[in-house]
């Protein structure tokens, strides 16, 4: 490839990354953490009883009690089974959700405000969903662009694939690490970018396909992707969800039921659908359908559908790494950290080439490490505050930026310290609030990684602070020697 093409690719890679660095970083950081969104839901209420399975009788009892206490009109009823990735029994409608124990007794209302805020940050950047999704999806396309232009701009991919030079001021090592992360994880980054772009572009794709192939009939396209509701005789009575669930052992003994939905509650077209995870398949789930009396009427056909249909139903698992338990989640987390660090290192390389302008550098560090602090303190606020966590998070981010602009000493080492201390405050508050439940699996699976991050950030901040002080002392000494060497005329 000629030099002009490589240089143009490098210019595009640089300026796209610089202008969208903050948005890309926030989406990548929140997405990396949101890989564990189901674990965060457990973490928010760690004292809830967990189980491996549940009886049909317990499900019937939990739903009956729930309906007696929640009489508002709802188009859907849901039961989340403990055989899902959350080992808890949950019954809910369109308005509220409650946990239940293994005997079917209701426990307490589900509260996942922090998890919802975190997922909302990743999917919509906390903007109104209609155009927030479009913006985030556009950023997914930008990630693909950055990966491709980065590869094109690389002058010696094969020769430098494993090169990591150290020494000097560290800039070359940072460039090498940026290039290695970008090269080694490029397939993953493309998958994340493509699937992320799909979620926001699905509506546009629907319109285009409907216009080209179905005479503008969008419902016809939807019916090709999502199996149409079954046509039944008018249904009456309470849905026999326990009877429907009991049949899953016979209908699909190798599958794990994830959740149950009662569609069009109270209407003549009411029916029950149980979604079950298919082993060794990437699709989200297969749907098994029952009438109101709990009689099996067929499946939705997602598992054996055409390849395009299966691909669309695999988008969620591909994007969040939810296909091989914690193994795939940790794999996605590590690769997500690499993608996030690409955003960070790319911007820091650009700042270093501009001689590290003080204000711009401080503001960047406030965004990067200050966002970790803001998320931690937002989680603390969630334990005592019932208002909007979106407002809390963005107010903290705004305070970080304002204070950083005013205080020149808030450099990268200081922000690393602040982020570490914020996580320590979160862990201490969490232990005080949840007490004994802090040491169960639902808590420790996230608290242990948080402890490791706090230790690393405090240690790393200490090292960088020591280096900056030593560099400052050397500069003063050199300046002093230079002044002493000047001879009077």
């Amino acid at each position: 490839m000629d030099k002009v093409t490589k240089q143009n690719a490098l210019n595009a890679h640089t300026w796209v990354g610089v202008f969208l660095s903050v948005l890309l970083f926030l989406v990548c950081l929140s997405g990396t953490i949101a890989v564990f969104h189901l674990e965060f839901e457990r973490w928010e209420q760690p004292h809830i009883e967990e189980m491996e399975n549940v009886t049909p009788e317990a499900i019937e009892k939990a739903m009956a009690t729930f309906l007696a206490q929640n009489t508002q009109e709802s188009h859907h009823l849901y039961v989340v089974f403990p055989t899902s990735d959350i080992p808890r029994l949950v019954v809910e409608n369109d308005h509220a959700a409650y946990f239940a124990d293994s005997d079917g007794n209701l426990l307490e209302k589900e509260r996942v405000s922090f998890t919802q805020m975190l997922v909302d940050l990743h999917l919509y950047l906390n903007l109104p969903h209609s155009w927030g999704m479009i913006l985030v999806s556009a950023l997914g396309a930008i990630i693909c662009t950055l990966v491709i232009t980065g590869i094109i701009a690389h002058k010696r991919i094969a020769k430098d694939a494993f090169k990591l030079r150290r020494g000097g001021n560290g800039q070359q090592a940072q460039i090498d690490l940026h290039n290695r992360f970008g090269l080694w994880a490029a397939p993953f980054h493309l998958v994340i970018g493509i699937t992320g772009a799909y979620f926001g572009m699905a509506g546009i794709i629907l319109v285009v396909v409907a216009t080209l192939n179905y005479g503008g009939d969008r419902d016809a396209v939807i019916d090709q992707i999502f199996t149409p509701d079954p046509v039944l005789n008018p249904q009456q009575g309470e849905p026999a969800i326990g009877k429907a669930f009991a049949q899953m052992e016979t209908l699909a003994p190798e599958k794990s039921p994830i959740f149950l939905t009662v569609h069009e509650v109270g209407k003549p077209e009411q029916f029950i659908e149980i979604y079950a995870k298919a082993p060794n398949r990437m699709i989200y789930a297969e749907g098994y359908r029952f009438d109101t009396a709990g009689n099996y009427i067929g499946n939705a056909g997602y598992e054996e559908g055409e390849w395009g249909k299966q691909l669309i139903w695999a988008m969620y698992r591909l994007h969040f790494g939810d296909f091989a338990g914690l193994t795939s989640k940790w794999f996605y987390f590590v690769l997500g950290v690499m993608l996030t660090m690409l955003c960070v290192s790319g911007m820091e390389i650009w700042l270093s080439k501009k001689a590290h302008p003080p204000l711009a550098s401080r503001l960047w560090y406030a965004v990067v490490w200050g966002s970790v602090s803001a998320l931690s303190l937002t989680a603390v606020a969630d334990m005592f505050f019932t208002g909007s966590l979106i407002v809390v998070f963005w107010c903290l981010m705004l305070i970080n930026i304002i204070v950083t602009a005013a205080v020149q000493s808030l450099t990268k080492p200081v922000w690393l310290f602040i982020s570490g201390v914020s996580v320590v405050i979160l862990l201490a508050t969490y232990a005080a609030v949840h007490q004994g439940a802090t040491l169960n699996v639902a808590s420790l699976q996230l608290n242990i990684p948080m402890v490791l991050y706090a230790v690393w950030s405090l240690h790393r901040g200490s090292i960088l602070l020591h280096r900056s002080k030593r560099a400052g002392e050397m500069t003063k000494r050199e300046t002093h020697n230079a002044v002493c060497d000047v001879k009077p005329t």
Side-chain angles (χ1 to χ4, degrees), residues 200-228:
M201 300 298 290
I204 298 174
I205 295 171
L206 172 65
V207 172
V208 172
V209 174
T211 302
L212 294 178
N213 299 315
Y214 293 88
D217 186 355
R218 301 182 189 180
D219 291 337
V221 181
I222 293 174
D223 288 344
Q224 290 293 318
I225 301 172
F226 304 96
T227 303

Side-chain angles (χ1 to χ4, degrees), residues 22 25-35 40 43-44 113-123 125-126 333 340 365-383 388-400 415 418-427 429-430 446 450 453:
V22 172
F25 169 77
L26 289 174
V27 168
C28 292
L29 174 67
S30 58
T32 300
I33 300 173
V35 164
F40 268 103
W43 178 84
E44 289 199 59
S113 301
F114 178 75
T115 305
Q116 288 176 344
M117 187 280 298
L118 177 65
V119 173
D120 192 274
L121 176 62
H122 177 63
L123 295 179
L125 279 172
N126 295 147
F333 177 79
T340 306
Y365 299 138
V367 168
V368 172
W369 305 110
S371 61
V372 177
S373 175
L375 285 171
S376 301
L377 297 180
T378 300
V380 172
D382 182 41
M383 300 179 201
S388 171
L389 293 186
I390 292 176
V391 173
V392 173
F393 172 75
W394 286 103
C395 282
L396 288 170
M397 290 293 289
L398 181 61
I399 291 170
N400 289 346
W415 272 114
I418 292 173
S419 71
V421 170
S422 298
V423 173
V424 171
I425 292 173
L426 169 59
L427 291 169
T429 307
Y430 186 87
L446 293 180
M450 289 185 197
Y453 172 81

Side-chain angles (χ1 to χ4, degrees), residues 37-45 86 88 112 115:
H37 64 282
L38 297 178
E39 286 71 23
F40 268 103
E41 289 187 12
R42 295 170 64 188
W43 178 84
E44 289 199 59
Q45 293 172 281
I86 300 181
R88 299 175 177 181
V112 290
T115 305

Side-chain angles (χ1 to χ4, degrees), residues 156-323:
R156 301 177 300 179
I157 290 181
K159 187 175 182 180
D160 294 344
F162 300 98
K163 181 177 289 186
L164 185 59
R165 290 162 287 188
R166 295 186 176 276
N169 60 5
Q171 180 178 339
Q172 189 60 60
Q174 190 174 52
I175 293 173
D176 285 345
L177 193 62
H178 180 85
N179 291 338
R180 299 301 78 75
F181 279 2
L183 180 60
W184 297 337
F188 165 78
H189 298 157
L190 285 173
V191 168
I192 292 298
I194 292 170
T195 54
Y198 160 78
F199 291 121
M201 300 298 290
I204 298 174
I205 295 171
L206 172 65
V207 172
V208 172
V209 174
T211 302
L212 294 178
N213 299 315
Y214 293 88
D217 186 355
R218 301 182 189 180
D219 291 337
V221 181
I222 293 174
D223 288 344
Q224 290 293 318
I225 301 172
F226 304 96
T227 303
D229 292 349
V231 178
L232 303 172
N233 294 325
Q235 303 287 298
Q236 293 181 346
E238 296 292 329
I241 59 178
K243 179 181 176 181
F245 178 74
Q247 296 177 63
M248 291 301 295
E249 291 187 5
T250 303
L251 292 171
E254 76 286 2
K255 295 184 175 69
S256 299
I258 306 173
F259 67 94
L260 172 153
T261 301
V262 180
H263 299 271
E264 306 302 332
V265 176
K267 296 182 178 180
E269 59 268 29
Q270 173 179 276
F271 72 98
I272 303 167
E273 187 164 23
I274 296 178
Y275 295 89
K277 184 186 297 184
N280 304 317
R281 303 299 292 268
M282 283 297 294
I283 64 166
Y284 180 74
E286 177 61 280
Y288 292 82
R289 296 174 167 187
F290 306 80
D291 64 17
T292 296
N295 301 309
Y296 177 62
I297 56 178
N299 62 11
Y302 301 126
E303 184 178 4
E304 303 299 336
E306 296 179 358
W307 71 268
K309 188 174 187 175
Q310 292 194 45
L311 178 61
I312 289 175
W313 273 79
M315 286 294 184
Y316 171 84
R317 296 200 186 282
L318 279 172
H319 191 73
F320 284 102
D322 184 22
F323 51 83

Side-chain angles (χ1 to χ4, degrees), residues 62-74 77 91-98 106 109:
M63 181 56 76
T65 306
F66 174 81
L67 290 174
Q69 297 179 4
N70 297 268
T71 58
Q72 65 270 54
E73 183 179 353
S74 177
L77 296 175
V91 289
E92 57 186 292
N93 59 16
D94 293 332
H95 310 287
Y98 280 80
L106 293 193
K109 191 172 184 179

